[in-house]
Amino acid sequence: MQARPFRSFQFAMSPKPSAMSKSVALGAHLFLLACVMTALGMLAIAPPSALSQTPFYQGKTVRIVVAATPGGTADFRVRALVPFLRKYIPGNPTVVLEFMDGSGGRKAANYMYGSARPDGLSLGALSGGSVALNIMGETGVMYDVDKFIYLGSSEGASHQIIYTRKELGLDSIEKLRAASGIRIGAQSVGHVAYVSGRLFAYFIGMKDPKFIAGYTAPEVDAALLRGELDARSNNPTSVLRRNPDWLEKGVMNFHAILEAPKGAKHPRFGHLPEIESFAKFEKEIRLLLLWRSLRVIGSPYVLPPGTLQERVKILKEAIAKAFQDRDFHTEHEKLAGDSADLIMPDAMAKIIKETPRDAEVIDTLKKLSGAGPLPPR
């Protein structure tokens, strides 16, 4: 077999570039550099919106932890806000409610303070009683109201009224005082309605009243109609929204009102005697001053301590815009049955900071908020 001859390969060398080709290459490089510089210049002068990233809340779910049960006035107040919160948070996130009733508002407040992540995706719609429980140093409180981040409230006025079943025939304050063992129902020990009921009993001077807790808001109404309870304290809005016939048809006898703030007359119940008219001593007036201070903050929207400031700013602005939206006020009145009475974030934080913290008065309010007998007058 004859060997194949070895083939040598020669690499052709490019001819030396001419002056013209050098000029063309240089021109191309200069053109490319000019394009890059132009692009950088456009980026430098572009408005922030052109460079902004996708909004943080886009595609996210914001959870509102509600310190109430479904179907109550607190629930409907929050529901009125939901579509407007979604509308005004950049990115239009999904907004869902999670109900966390219990322990007079402690359960939701404890969760928001100690367990909710400070990522701006969890808001609390707390009970106003949550603030009172902390200031009074009640057991089971594992939060500090001075450290929450406040977003405001749509409930600035927070009146309470007390009423009894008509069948009892207690159509005057004198008859109410004379009746013994009146059963007053409420949601839980420490709940706003529970404390208000005890305040009415204390100031009116009811004889050996019985306080029965453990209901949801609608269950208290049902228990009254069945005769399992004799009385309850409630906010006027709830009565007029859920049971307007109780006033219009005289199903219940209405006895007194606790105004918060004092002097803000309710259009339907302003004729009732105000609770302070039953006060006997200066310390009792201070007691009511403390309670009113705790109630005028309504049901505060809060964020956990440590929430990122840029998200705090976004949520504060969103709630402020929602509160200014006329359609929000229409929706609030439709669902909650009354007009929104707004408190903005800075005003709310100021009210809480300046709430009277007199030790003697706090001790009395603490006894009125607990499960023991009413304190002596």
Side-chain angles (χ1 to χ4, degrees):
M1 182 173 177
Q2 189 175 8
R4 297 176 64 183
F6 176 78
R7 292 170 124 191
S8 64
F9 292 88
Q10 294 183 352
F11 294 90
M13 300 294 293
S14 298
K16 271 181 131 186
S18 66
M20 180 178 290
S21 62
K22 284 183 179 180
S23 177
V24 171
L26 179 60
H29 284 300
L30 289 174
F31 176 75
L32 180 60
L33 180 60
C35 290
V36 171
M37 294 303 292
T38 301
L40 290 174
M42 292 177 66
L43 287 173
I45 64 173
S49 59
L51 304 176
S52 61
Q53 298 176 344
T54 301
F56 168 77
Y57 284 97
Q58 186 170 321
K60 301 285 200 308
T61 296
V62 172
R63 190 175 49 131
I64 302 180
V65 177
V66 185
T69 51
T73 301
D75 171 18
F76 288 109
R77 285 190 176 116
V78 178
R79 288 185 190 277
L81 178 64
V82 166
F84 299 93
L85 194 59
R86 185 175 189 276
K87 174 181 178 181
Y88 288 113
I89 295 176
N92 311 117
T94 300
V95 180
V96 299
L97 305 186
E98 180 177 331
F99 295 91
M100 201 175 287
D101 189 30
S103 302
R106 294 175 183 88
K107 185 176 180 181
N110 284 339
Y111 174 82
M112 288 303 302
Y113 189 82
S115 300
R117 295 180 62 183
D119 55 6
L121 296 175
S122 293
L123 282 69
L126 302 187
S127 162
S130 304
V131 177
L133 290 166
N134 186 193
I135 288 176
M136 291 185 297
E138 290 286 4
T139 59
V141 172
M142 295 179 284
Y143 55 90
D144 183 344
V145 293
D146 293 316
K147 293 182 179 177
F148 277 125
I149 298 168
Y150 292 93
L151 301 176
S153 173
S154 60
E155 179 197 358
S158 184
H159 300 336
Q160 290 282 318
I161 52 177
I162 188 166
Y163 47 94
T164 56
R165 292 186 293 115
K166 185 177 182 180
E167 292 86 350
L168 298 174
L170 307 177
D171 55 3
S172 69
I173 292 292
E174 291 72 24
K175 290 180 181 179
L176 184 61
R177 284 196 183 111
S180 181
I182 294 294
R183 299 166 297 171
I184 303 175
Q187 288 88 324
S188 59
V189 174
H191 191 280
V192 169
Y194 174 86
V195 180
S196 298
R198 285 169 66 88
L199 281 167
F200 280 120
Y202 176 80
F203 277 91
I204 291 172
M206 293 171 64
K207 186 186 297 182
D208 192 28
K210 310 296 181 185
F211 301 98
I212 304 171
Y215 298 93
T216 64
E219 286 172 350
V220 183
D221 293 342
L224 271 171
L225 293 175
R226 291 195 301 266
E228 295 174 10
L229 296 173
D230 302 315
R232 77 166 296 183
S233 176
N234 200 359
N235 66 70
T237 299
S238 292
V239 176
L240 296 174
R241 182 178 54 78
R242 292 204 301 260
N243 306 295
D245 58 316
W246 288 10
L247 176 64
E248 295 163 2
K249 298 182 179 179
V251 176
M252 300 285 167
N253 284 321
F254 296 88
H255 301 285
I257 188 167
L258 195 169
E259 296 172 350
K262 183 183 176 183
K265 295 300 178 185
H266 192 277
R268 302 292 299 276
F269 296 99
H271 63 285
L272 295 176
E274 212 284 323
I275 193 170
E276 194 168 309
S277 65
F278 304 114
K280 295 180 179 179
F281 310 105
E282 189 272 337
K283 72 174 184 179
E284 293 181 348
I285 295 176
R286 286 190 286 125
L287 172 65
L288 290 173
L289 174 62
L290 172 60
W291 181 248
R292 289 188 224 274
S293 297
L294 295 172
R295 291 307 305 140
V296 294
I297 61 170
S299 302
Y301 290 101
V302 304
L303 290 169
T307 301
L308 296 174
Q309 283 304 308
E310 62 267 25
R311 293 175 197 168
V312 171
K313 184 175 183 290
I314 289 170
L315 293 171
K316 280 187 176 182
E317 290 177 353
I319 284 186
K321 289 177 181 177
F323 283 173
Q324 293 164 6
D325 193 312
R326 291 183 181 180
D327 291 338
F328 162 71
H329 290 268
T330 301
E331 187 71 6
H332 189 281
E333 190 160 354
K334 182 177 75 174
L335 292 181
D338 67 347
S339 300
D341 189 3
L342 308 178
I343 304 180
M344 304 310 287
D346 292 344
M348 176 171 286
K350 185 173 186 291
I351 290 170
I352 291 171
K353 183 179 179 180
E354 297 177 355
T355 296
R357 305 194 189 194
D358 182 304
E360 180 186 13
V361 174
I362 287 175
D363 182 64
T364 302
L365 185 55
K366 188 172 180 178
K367 291 173 181 175
L368 285 163
S369 302
L374 294 177
R377 296 185 71 178

